Amino acid sequence: MTEADAAATSPAVQARDRATWTELFFDLVLAFAVSQIAHLLAGHPDWPVLGRSLLVLVPLWWAWVDVVMAMNAVHETNTQRVFLLLSGLAVYGMAVAAPHAPGDREQALLYAGSYLALRLLIGEAIRRECALYTIHPYRAGLAFALALFGTATLPGTWRSVSWVAAVAAEIAAPRLLSGHLRRLAFGVNHLPERFGLFVIIALGENVFSVGAGVATGRLDTANLAALVLAFLTACALWWLYFHLAASAIAHALRTHPTPAVVVRDVLSYGHLVLVAGLLLVSVGAQRAVQAPLATPHGLAAGLLPGGAGLFTLTFCYTRRRMFGAASVTRFYGALALFATAWAASLLPALATTALTAGLLVTVNALEHWLLASGRGVPLVLRQRDA
């Protein structure tokens, strides 16, 4: 069955309209998990640690997406509240173990065991509420959780290889099984709100980690300037998402001929990259504020502008999947941020932070001026392949 045929199929359930208080409490656990991964990368900002950080981030992200999709299909009851609270406990276990799971056997068992418990909970919730279909990309995550748990006791290198394979397969699952999304109902208010809240969580980690990093130390003029610039960067990233993108997602869910494309490509895949970009920004900003006059080297030098560039460029992909074209302002803004990341090892961290904040503010200001003057944002990559 094609995706167009899938779109014509009536959903089996009614979608929820807004997030609930229990879901917001569940998100607090995710905030802790994001913080744990950010601290891991901040302590050792090199390529192997970045790989391990992404390895433990992806299952957390995909499980969160699956919980959101399960709750999107039902109205909250006491049973659903218990499901969310138990899911929060499982995510809590994953978050506690995340920093050391790839390299430590006991932590790997805790991480994988918690993930397996979470997947069993999600499977039971879907079975109760959506019994009309048995296979879809979100329920398939149970197989990947079993793979992680079954290989958690292997020696370190074999465990890492096995986990990379399982996580890569989990990333590919929504694409390979997207036809089974046809019976899901998509809440045009609930889903954008839930994914926007996760972006807020990732932005909040930036504000928290940067502020906490300097709160106990001495603040001189350079530290204070870097702190202000890091906060302006966070504000500009917030503006990039919530000024236009959040409402565009809701509009696309209402009007796209195949809403499952928006859920799969924009929400599931696109937001994973957005969150990864914000994670890099958080670590880069934290290190820049702590040592603003130092010149970093290697991966650490480009974390802040590189993460901001990845965040900005992802909007080109998501907008193209929703509407068939990407904005020129964000495309060239992302290229300028990547150029800053390339040159960052030659500059003091304060200068890199100032360039990053300036570029992001410029993109936002230019888009505001174009829209306010009635010109509209120019588009690039005009090709609809949704």
Side-chain angles (χ1 to χ4, degrees), residues 34-340:
V34 172
S35 175
Q36 285 281 87
I37 297 172
H39 291 167
L40 168 65
L41 184 57
H44 304 280
D46 54 33
W47 290 105
V49 174
L50 175 61
R52 290 198 295 271
S53 299
L54 295 176
L55 186 63
V56 294
L57 172 65
V58 170
L60 279 164
W61 165 257
W62 231 250
W64 181 85
V65 171
D66 296 353
V67 170
V68 169
M69 296 305 300
M71 292 297 95
N72 179 68
V74 298
H75 294 286
E76 188 179 64
T77 64
N78 285 335
T79 300
Q80 299 304 329
R81 292 188 183 100
V82 171
F83 160 73
L84 278 171
L85 296 175
L86 290 176
S87 297
L89 177 60
V91 172
Y92 199 45
M94 294 177 69
V96 167
H100 306 290
D104 183 89
R105 178 178 175 179
E106 286 72 23
Q107 298 291 343
L109 280 170
L110 175 58
Y111 182 90
S114 299
Y115 189 42
L116 179 58
L118 179 58
R119 281 297 180 187
L120 290 171
L121 284 167
I122 294 172
E124 178 62 17
I126 292 174
R127 185 191 68 80
R128 286 175 174 270
E129 302 296 339
C130 308
L132 291 178
Y133 57 95
T134 57
I135 300 175
H136 60 82
Y138 303 106
R139 191 172 186 180
L142 178 59
F144 309 124
L146 286 168
L148 293 184
F149 186 73
T151 58
T153 58
L154 292 177
T157 301
W158 287 105
R159 178 169 59 246
S160 297
V161 171
S162 300
W163 281 26
V164 168
V167 169
E170 185 168 21
I171 291 174
R175 186 77 189 183
L176 297 175
L177 302 174
S178 59
H180 296 280
L181 288 171
R182 63 186 180 274
R183 290 188 179 274
L184 290 178
F186 305 119
V188 296
N189 292 320
H190 181 253
L191 287 182
E193 182 180 45
R194 298 296 290 125
F195 282 83
L197 285 170
F198 201 101
V199 172
I200 286 289
I201 287 174
L203 282 169
E205 169 55 28
N206 178 31
V207 174
F208 173 79
S209 62
V210 170
V214 299
T216 57
R218 184 177 65 86
L219 271 178
D220 57 22
T221 302
N223 294 119
L224 185 59
L227 183 66
V228 172
L229 289 169
F231 188 78
L232 288 177
T233 298
C235 292
L237 292 169
W238 178 92
W239 200 279
L240 278 176
Y241 185 92
F242 289 99
H243 176 54
L244 295 175
S247 58
I249 294 169
H251 177 74
L253 283 172
R254 294 187 187 97
T255 61
H256 198 283
T258 311
V261 168
V262 180
V263 174
R264 183 194 65 200
D265 294 347
V266 176
L267 296 180
S268 298
Y269 286 129
H271 279 66
L272 173 59
V273 182
L274 290 175
V275 170
L278 291 176
L279 187 65
L280 299 181
V281 168
S282 173
V283 175
Q286 179 183 354
R287 295 179 63 87
V289 172
Q290 289 176 343
L293 299 181
T295 301
H297 300 284
L299 177 65
L303 285 175
L304 176 58
L310 182 63
F311 185 84
T312 306
L313 187 63
T314 303
F315 290 113
C316 297
Y317 165 75
T318 56
R319 197 186 191 287
R320 185 167 180 265
R321 296 305 290 152
M322 291 187 294
F323 307 118
S327 68
V328 168
T329 52
R330 300 194 180 195
F331 179 75
Y332 287 108
L335 293 184
L337 287 164
F338 288 136
T340 303

